[in-house]
Amino acid sequence: MAYGVISTMMDTHHDISLSDNAIRKRLKRYGHPSRLGPTTMTEHQLQEIIRNKLKYLPRTVGYRQLTDVLKHEGFHVRRDKVMKSLRDVDPDGVQFRRRRRMERRTYTSLGPYHTWHIDGYSRKIIWLKMGPSNNDPKQVAYHYMTCLKIHSGFPLLIQADRGTENSVVGALQYVFRGGDEHTSLDRRMCFQHLSSKLNQRIEAWWSMFRRRKAQWWMDFFRDLVNAAAFDPSDEKAMWEAMYSTFGRGK
């Protein structure tokens, strides 16, 4: 039974009140191993189990995934032991996975106005604005038009994912490039959709940004909503809150 069930039964039937953590500590103190402790087996037995599992697994499965597979099958083995046994059982597979390590390709643009990326990684940030919504196509289009005015020009190609927030920008780009007789690209090629899977670098950046910076603000505003002190559907109030915190135009 789970520790929580044990705690409830002891309290109900024996009038003994112990928390889950207290039960776990006392079992450890009395020398009782965890109910999901390591599985007892020899190195040869582990190698044989791994050899049989590899018959039905792709070559890309490394020791981390294999440890989870074994755990799912009821074999609780330390990861370092699985890694050592896998090296002995499948040395060719280990070398294959090492060779398949990600190698970043060199991305070269033909010029500053050749390709702009929306929702993608760029060495130069064309614009960085804050707003009350991250999926409103009108807001993204407004920032796009403002950026064109500041730079006095527009790119030959825009690449973005298939999010609805980029739809108006795509239509505007079609209009601008449709009348350009000197462009080397077809009008249909002036705005390209890319899979979000190709934006791994920017997605990793967003993940890091959320963990280090944005999560505090997300929790802050969530607490305000729970306390009925803030209405996220009130766009005017949201703009006023941002302006009062960060200042207008920043």
Side-chain angles (χ1 to χ4, degrees), residues 77-187:
V77 187
R78 287 175 49 180
R79 182 180 292 180
D80 58 335
K81 291 186 177 181
V82 176
M83 179 177 61
K84 183 179 182 302
S85 297
L86 187 60
R87 288 176 179 174
D88 296 335
V89 172
D90 187 28
D92 294 337
V94 173
Q95 293 299 323
F96 170 79
R97 287 184 290 275
R98 285 180 176 176
R99 291 195 302 268
R100 291 293 298 273
R101 287 180 177 177
M102 183 181 66
E103 297 181 0
R104 297 196 180 277
R105 65 185 180 92
T106 302
Y107 181 85
T108 304
S109 179
L110 299 180
Y113 287 92
H114 185 271
T115 305
W116 287 3
H117 292 264
I118 300 179
D119 300 326
Y121 176 80
S122 176
R123 292 186 180 274
K124 177 178 175 60
I125 298 177
I126 307 301
W127 77 78
L128 180 59
K129 301 293 182 180
M130 180 177 59
S133 173
N134 65 346
N135 57 7
D136 187 350
K138 294 183 294 184
Q139 293 187 25
V140 179
Y142 171 77
H143 295 313
Y144 167 72
M145 295 294 295
T146 304
C147 181
L148 299 187
K149 183 177 180 180
I150 294 175
H151 292 278
S152 301
F154 48 88
L156 186 68
L157 173 66
I158 286 184
Q159 292 183 344
D161 60 24
R162 296 185 179 275
T164 57
E165 68 275 7
N166 302 319
S167 57
V168 178
V169 173
L172 292 172
Q173 182 71 3
Y174 285 146
V175 173
F176 294 149
R177 277 303 172 189
D180 189 352
E181 299 177 356
H182 303 287
T183 180
S184 60
L185 292 179
D186 186 84
R187 179 183 178 184

Side-chain angles (χ1 to χ4, degrees), residues 177-241:
R177 277 303 172 189
D180 189 352
E181 299 177 356
H182 303 287
T183 180
S184 60
L185 292 179
D186 186 84
R187 179 183 178 184
R188 294 171 297 177
M189 297 295 292
C190 63
F191 185 86
Q192 292 182 348
H193 284 117
L194 294 179
S195 172
S196 58
K197 296 180 180 179
L198 301 178
N199 295 332
Q200 294 180 2
R201 196 166 185 176
I202 188 63
E203 293 298 335
W205 187 90
W206 280 119
S207 176
M208 181 174 59
F209 175 75
R210 176 170 179 172
R211 292 195 304 268
R212 298 185 180 181
K213 301 290 184 181
Q215 189 62 49
W216 187 91
W217 288 103
M218 295 171 66
D219 296 338
F220 174 75
F221 282 105
R222 187 180 296 111
D223 292 340
L224 290 179
V225 172
N226 294 334
F230 181 73
D231 183 8
S233 63
D234 189 345
E235 186 172 336
K236 181 180 178 181
M238 187 173 293
W239 280 107
E240 291 177 350

Side-chain angles (χ1 to χ4, degrees), residues 32-49:
H32 294 279
S34 172
R35 288 172 291 114
L36 297 178
T39 302
T40 303
M41 66 176 65
T42 64
E43 183 176 348
H44 176 74
Q45 290 174 329
L46 177 59
Q47 291 180 359
E48 190 63 27
I49 293 174

Side-chain angles (χ1 to χ4, degrees), residues 48 50-58:
E48 190 63 27
I50 292 176
R51 188 177 289 108
N52 292 330
K53 293 296 179 184
L54 291 179
K55 296 178 181 179
Y56 309 99
L57 295 174

